[in-house]
């Protein structure tokens, strides 16, 4: 896995190196840039995109937000607020709203996980007893 720090002669990672380092595709990086979610990277002397630690950090943050279920519109809104220099409190509010939504989804997942665990326990008990478990 490549380092997240610049190594190339132009002072940054190529888009392929950046994608590999982040575990995503080149197309994903381009999509986030096109949507205004990730900043366009600087171009090296060769004219190719070069991803410096700041840009890599931003992309890693985008992936974290996406991994928590933040949708593209919300990510656009957050990126736009940042790029417009919105007050820290405003950006914090966006993150706190998303955090609350994640906690709600997590509570639902825990509820369903508990039901699944009860079902698994019933099946294990049935297997031990040599019986059939009624559905569902």
């Amino acid at each position: 896995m490549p380092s997240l720090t610049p190594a190339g002669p132009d002072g940054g990672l190529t888009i392929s190196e950046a994608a590999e380092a982040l575990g995503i595709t080149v197309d994903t990086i381009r999509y986030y840039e096109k949507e205004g979610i990730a900043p366009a990277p600087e171009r090296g002397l060769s004219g190719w995109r070069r991803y410096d630690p700041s840009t890599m950090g931003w992309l890693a943050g985008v992936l974290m937000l996406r991994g928590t279920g933040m949708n593209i519109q919300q990510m656009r809104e957050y990126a736009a607020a940042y790029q417009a220099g919105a007050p820290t409190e405003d950006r914090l509010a966006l993150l706190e709203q998303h955090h609350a939504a994640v906690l709600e989804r997590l509570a639902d997942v825990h509820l369903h996980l508990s039901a699944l665990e009860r079902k698994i326990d019933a099946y294990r008990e049935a297997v031990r007893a040599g019986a059939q478990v009624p559905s569902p």
Side-chain angles (χ1 to χ4, degrees), residues 113-124 133-136:
L113 181 60
S114 293
L116 176 60
E117 289 168 345
R118 287 190 302 275
K119 180 64 97 175
I120 288 170
D121 288 344
Y123 271 78
R124 285 181 178 153
V133 174
S135 290

Side-chain angles (χ1 to χ4, degrees), residues 4-51:
L4 293 179
T5 58
D10 285 342
L13 300 174
T14 65
I15 193 168
S16 295
E17 291 167 336
E20 185 178 344
L22 293 166
I24 59 177
T25 67
V26 167
D27 289 337
T28 299
I29 292 175
R30 287 186 179 130
Y31 175 77
Y32 287 140
E33 290 171 5
K34 181 180 95 90
E35 292 298 318
I37 295 167
E42 296 293 322
R43 301 259 178 181
L45 298 173
S46 63
W48 294 74
R49 291 175 168 100
R50 301 308 289 190
Y51 293 81

Side-chain angles (χ1 to χ4, degrees), residues 11 13 17 21 30 32 40-41 47 53-54 56-57 63 69 73 80 103 109 127 130:
L13 300 174
E17 291 167 336
R30 287 186 179 130
Y32 287 140
S54 175
M56 291 297 291
L63 296 175
Q73 182 56 41
L103 288 176
V109 168
V127 167

